[in-house]
Amino acid sequence: MMVWHKKAMWFLVALLGTVAMAGIALHRGESINALWLVTAAACIYAIAYRFYAAWIAAKVLTIDTTRATPAERLDNGRDFMPTNKWVVFGHHFAAIAGPGPLVGPTLAAQFGYLPGTLWILIGAVLGGAVQDMVTLFFSMRRNGRSLGQMARDEIGAIGGTAALIGTFMIMIILIAVLGLVVVNAMKHSPWATSTVAATIPIAMLVGVYMRNLRPGRVLEASTLGLVLLLLSVLAGGWVDHHEGLRVLFDHDGLPLAYVVIAYGFAAAVLPVWLLLAPRDYLSTFVKLGTVFLLAIAILLLRPEIHMPALTQFVDGTGPIFGGKLFPFVFITIACGAISGFHALISSGTTPKLLANERDIRMIGYGGMLLESFVAMMAMIAATVLEPGVYFAINSPPGIVGKEAVDAIAKINSWGFAVTAEQMQQLANDMGEKSLFARIGGAPSLAVGMASIFGTAFGKSMLAVWYHFAIMFEAIFILTTLDAGTRVGRFMLQDLLGNFNKKLGETSYTPSVIITSAIVVASWGYFLYIGVIDPNGGVNILWPLFGIANQMLAAIALSVATGILVKSGKLKFAWVTGLPLAWLVIITTTAAFQKIFSEDVRIGFFAAANDLSAKLASGALPADKASVAQQLIFNQHLDAYLTLFFVVVLWVVVLDMLRVCMHSHVGRPVLKLSETPHEPSQLAENWVRD
Amino acid sequence: MLKSFLKRLRHIWHLVRRLSGDDAYERYLEHHMAFHANVLDAPPALSRKEFYKLWQANKWQGIKRCC
């Protein structure tokens, strides 16, 4: 039983959280302070962690602290190894936190700050964190088996294959859309392009240092790399002012996309120690440092949020992506609320390191709460901008027009004040030529972060802060791109190994080159289309990524629900069943609309037909007509891809329901694959370090 | 006061080294001493450089980074 003062404290936390939530939801003024959002988030996370997560661990999963974990039983000093929970937490968080929670909320801010904020909080607490924790738990009870293997063992072969294909497809779409974000951030920005380019040799230098000069001295090498990265941000400004050098880095989207594609291929073929591993060190340190700095800055400066709670774009006419609030806010913010990808990490390295079953609450549930908090900060950084400025940066030229005058007129007609002079001043402050139509989310996030940091450290530094923020996003987008391409390559090699043994060897050079080329070509295609699409590509690719990611989450929750029912815990099945039902509803609705909507900004077929009609009647200008055929083909492809995702989703869910029904009425089902109980030999409060 | 502060700092430094893998080789040597060194015909411990190569390759098998 809790003592009275603890009860009183939790009562106060609950009260504060309620007041903050009510304040956010009922607020109808000019602007609201970001502190309200931070307070609401902190209280909700605390209560959810203390009560809901603890209840799930104790009653639903019934964790057993005396049971030996796979790390203890199979300790090999390598992948299986009992590890201090803070260390596991660090590894787990570094693995799950990528660019997704930064980009999604920035895009979803077009609906206003309220819908995204609510979904980030509620989605994480009831959905994402639950998914991460239960997947971690079930994988831990199965010697760290992967999501695909668990789906096969517990539900059947169909689920296992679906998880495998789903993972591969998500990877392709994810890399394409992230590539697009980086390309859009570098487009005609010599400063950003030269800084991002400099990160490659810096990473290689760090790689050589760690391997040859001072083997294994990871911290030394990383410190050196971080100093060089900061210098590269300053050097970028110098390049930008140098007449001869700036033209070398001043490019259109398409050539930059080709460079990113070529880079992706090189990164997948080069040995890990040279590029991927050192880049990952740098990006992890930069990421943690910047997120921490941003949190401190928001707490100290308490910026005002200028975006309204809701905008008129909840009706589906939003410039950044088409589609109504329901279901598209839930698709747009995937990472940060619930992300199926996390299930792959929770059933990968992490379960093999846990020293005690009790750690799953902090690592699985707590890790996701921290990721959700990162998404909250991205939401704040996007909404502290004046809405007019936010829309000017994020609206594609296909919607607001190519010329600044047209864009300003269009945005003013929506009721958001912004002037051409204001945008020019802002661009000058940030050291850019123009900030119009810098879509993809990275530039607007960078402007938001720069203005928050700028308030603290003086305006003269704005341009440096802006390009630091761009470098920060680019460096870990490129890490995801490298790592994702490599994982795609391994999966493909694994698959090809079934047909030809030699092709399945991960170190066989022809196989490496062929499979890397296939993976890079796949995402390269979507990236290319995204760049040539006048509506900006983000409008197509981000929802597609969201649908795919939520589909993977639905597979993970299906596996968990199936295991709960098979273990005789039908009465607790709602814990995973409810978020699953919600995901099925939003994913199916979104997919249905993306396929069948008559609105050309939402429906793939509608867009394809519209473009065909315009092409046939000669209504398109020459530059658009030349790419129209490719865009039409792509719209069809995307429609079938979406259909494929939703079919896979339903097959897995129905298969899971079949298994649950059979299990409930006592018909034979696949046996639970849990490893038998073995008592732990580790002392009660044992820590390795 | 100062002593406990220093102890705390050392603890944090320890965690950072452990998290980053800076101390991976030292931990490997400990593991090797404890489990393999006394076994007959056991191969000698790897050099720092050899270990680092293996450790790095092993670390990047599978899905390590997500969105």
Side-chain angles (χ1 to χ4, degrees):
Chain A
M1 269 283 89
M2 270 198 277
V3 284
W4 71 268
H5 64 266
K6 277 200 175 166
K7 275 188 193 163
M9 190 197 76
W10 282 110
F11 178 74
L12 283 179
V13 172
L15 194 67
L16 186 61
T18 316
V19 169
M21 280 307 278
I24 296 169
L26 303 174
H27 183 84
R28 288 293 172 272
E30 272 291 289
S31 64
I32 179 173
N33 199 288
L35 209 58
W36 286 88
L37 272 67
V38 176
T39 310
C43 292
I44 289 177
Y45 296 151
I47 290 175
Y49 183 79
R50 171 62 186 80
F51 296 100
Y52 191 46
W55 176 78
I56 293 176
K59 299 287 176 196
V60 181
L61 305 175
T62 48
I63 56 163
D64 179 355
T65 53
T66 66
R67 190 184 175 114
T69 60
E72 182 188 345
R73 281 184 287 109
L74 309 172
D75 187 354
N76 60 4
R78 235 179 33 226
D79 41 352
F80 287 94
M81 190 165 32
T83 306
N84 176 303
K85 67 177 175 181
W86 291 100
V87 174
V88 187
F89 184 87
H91 282 304
H92 183 76
F93 180 69
I96 63 171
L102 297 177
V103 178
T106 308
L107 303 179
Q110 76 163 354
F111 293 127
Y113 69 80
L114 188 58
T117 300
L118 290 180
W119 171 235
I120 289 171
L121 293 179
I122 299 171
V125 160
L126 298 179
V130 174
Q131 172 207 251
D132 291 13
M133 179 165 86
V134 297
T135 307
L136 179 59
F137 175 80
F138 289 131
S139 174
M140 175 190 66
R141 281 280 173 99
R142 285 158 182 76
N143 287 347
R145 306 210 93 190
S146 72
L147 178 67
Q149 288 167 324
M150 287 197 289
R152 199 163 44 232
D153 295 344
E154 298 287 345
I155 297 182
I158 299 175
T161 315
L164 208 66
I165 298 174
T167 310
F168 187 75
M169 301 285 241
I170 292 174
M171 209 84 80
I172 299 296
I173 306 280
L174 169 74
I175 299 173
V177 74
L178 291 180
L180 187 60
V181 171
V182 179
V183 166
N184 281 328
M186 297 193 297
K187 197 156 70 181
H188 289 298
S189 168
W191 191 335
T193 310
S194 56
T195 300
V196 174
T199 63
I200 300 169
I202 291 174
M204 288 179 157
L205 184 72
V206 171
V208 172
Y209 188 98
M210 279 187 205
R211 184 182 139 108
N212 294 333
L213 302 179
R214 300 258 297 153
R217 263 49 170 234
V218 168
L219 286 176
E220 259 175 51
S222 300
T223 310
L224 172 77
L226 287 175
V227 171
L228 289 175
L229 278 182
L230 294 180
L231 287 178
S232 80
V233 175
L234 298 177
W238 178 75
V239 168
D240 192 36
H241 289 103
H242 191 287
E243 283 308 315
L245 283 175
R246 78 187 309 275
V247 290
L248 291 178
F249 296 99
D250 189 358
H251 296 290
D252 266 336
L254 207 51
L256 288 172
Y258 290 138
V259 173
V260 169
I261 291 170
Y263 165 79
F265 181 75
V269 176
L270 289 176
V272 268
W273 63 264
L274 184 58
L275 189 54
L276 179 55
R279 177 190 278 293
D280 183 60
Y281 276 115
L282 298 180
S283 81
T284 305
F285 285 121
V286 171
K287 179 167 66 187
L288 295 179
T290 309
V291 164
F292 186 69
L293 205 61
L294 191 59
I296 299 283
I298 288 176
L299 285 179
L300 288 182
L301 303 167
R302 301 185 295 278
E304 287 289 317
I305 285 176
H306 297 291
M307 183 69 78
L310 286 173
T311 66
Q312 66 266 43
F313 300 127
V314 294
D315 67 356
T317 57
I320 298 169
F321 57 90
K324 286 196 174 115
L325 180 67
F326 176 85
F328 285 98
V329 76
F330 306 104
I331 292 299
T332 308
I333 303 182
C335 322
I338 176 162
S339 166
F341 225 118
H342 294 185
L344 303 175
I345 306 287
S346 295
S347 64
T349 333
T350 312
K352 298 173 185 162
L353 299 174
L354 297 170
N356 192 296
E357 291 202 345
R358 76 162 78 85
D359 297 348
I360 62 151
R361 173 158 73 122
M362 177 183 140
I363 291 151
Y365 203 92
M368 179 63 203
L369 291 186
L370 192 54
E371 162 117 330
S372 171
F373 188 67
V374 173
M376 278 300 283
M377 288 198 294
M379 180 56 100
I380 290 171
T383 51
V384 295
L385 297 177
E386 290 293 338
V389 170
Y390 166 86
F391 284 110
I393 299 175
N394 284 304
S395 301
I399 303 291
V400 293
K402 265 188 182 155
E403 301 304 322
V405 206
D406 303 333
I408 291 289
K410 187 91 187 176
I411 293 164
N412 288 342
S413 79
W414 292 331
F416 299 114
V418 61
T419 62
E421 296 74 45
Q422 189 187 355
M423 286 303 291
Q424 194 50 54
Q425 183 58 43
L426 190 67
N428 292 346
D429 284 349
M430 300 296 163
E432 291 286 288
K433 213 154 67 190
S434 160
L435 284 171
F436 280 105
R438 303 300 296 270
I439 57 165
S444 86
L445 180 63
V447 172
M449 281 171 60
S451 45
I452 292 175
F453 289 146
T455 326
F457 306 100
K459 276 213 152 194
S460 57
M461 292 276 285
L462 272 179
V464 174
W465 280 118
Y466 173 84
H467 290 95
F468 172 80
I470 291 285
M471 181 274 285
F472 148 77
E473 290 171 81
I475 190 171
F476 65 89
I477 283 182
L478 291 178
T479 309
T480 307
L481 189 142
D482 297 0
T485 305
R486 197 170 278 269
V487 168
R489 184 194 112 193
F490 284 147
M491 291 175 79
L492 210 55
Q493 285 185 310
D494 206 34
L495 184 76
L496 290 179
N498 294 328
F499 305 104
N500 180 326
K501 222 164 174 196
K502 200 82 184 140
L503 286 180
E505 285 171 21
T506 48
S507 53
Y508 178 53
T509 311
S511 166
V512 169
I513 290 178
I514 292 169
T515 48
S516 300
I518 295 174
V519 174
V520 172
S522 309
W523 62 253
Y525 163 77
F526 286 104
L527 172 58
Y528 166 78
I529 294 288
V531 172
I532 64 169
D533 187 344
N535 286 337
V538 169
N539 180 46
I540 289 186
L541 281 174
W542 193 262
L544 209 55
F545 161 63
I547 290 173
N549 202 358
Q550 305 295 42
M551 176 202 72
L552 195 59
I555 294 177
L557 287 169
S558 289
V559 172
T561 311
I563 295 178
L564 281 179
V565 172
K566 282 167 65 179
S567 330
K569 291 178 181 163
L570 181 65
K571 66 172 177 176
F572 293 130
W574 60 268
V575 170
T576 51
L578 276 186
L580 171 61
W582 179 245
L583 284 186
V584 172
I585 292 170
I586 56 168
T587 318
T588 311
T589 316
F592 187 84
Q593 292 187 8
K594 289 308 286 182
I595 299 171
F596 297 110
S597 171
E598 309 255 311
D599 184 337
V600 295
R601 297 211 42 238
I602 305 172
F604 289 130
F605 286 125
N609 295 341
D610 178 64
L611 207 53
S612 309
K614 279 188 185 153
L615 186 64
S617 66
L620 291 177
D623 59 325
K624 283 189 184 166
S626 61
V627 295
Q629 279 305 342
Q630 289 171 314
L631 293 180
I632 293 168
F633 171 79
N634 181 57
Q635 299 273 10
H636 284 153
L637 178 69
D638 294 340
Y640 290 114
L641 203 58
T642 310
L643 186 67
F644 173 77
F645 286 147
V646 83
V647 167
V648 167
L649 165 75
W650 275 95
V651 165
V652 174
V653 170
L654 291 175
D655 204 26
M656 179 274 290
L657 287 176
R658 177 188 62 84
V659 170
C660 289
M661 281 286 285
H662 281 200
S663 162
H664 187 60
V665 298
R667 269 191 255 162
V669 287
L670 288 170
K671 271 214 302 235
L672 280 175
S673 55
E674 192 171 289
T675 44
H677 179 279
E678 258 179 60
S680 172
Q681 305 295 324
L682 301 173
E684 184 63 7
N685 288 317
W686 182 91
V687 265
R688 185 151 177 135
D689 302 68
Chain B
M1 185 67 187
L2 183 72
K3 215 170 177 183
S4 76
F5 176 70
L6 283 179
K7 202 175 153 193
R8 243 202 135 71
L9 265 189
R10 232 197 325 269
H11 185 69
I12 292 173
W13 172 240
H14 203 72
L15 260 175
V16 171
R17 286 199 71 204
R18 178 77 167 81
L19 260 171
S20 60
D22 203 53
D23 66 350
Y25 184 65
E26 287 142 57
R27 283 187 297 116
Y28 159 76
L29 280 187
E30 273 174 36
H31 178 88
H32 188 87
M33 289 296 275
F35 294 101
H36 305 291
N38 301 326
V39 180
L40 208 65
D41 291 335
L46 298 173
S47 73
R48 201 178 244 283
K49 196 170 167 182
E50 286 168 331
F51 169 78
Y52 179 71
K53 275 190 223 170
L54 271 181
W55 180 71
Q56 203 63 270
N58 184 52
K59 198 176 142 189
W60 285 97
Q61 294 286 335
I63 299 172
K64 285 290 172 327
R65 286 295 174 268
C66 80
C67 45

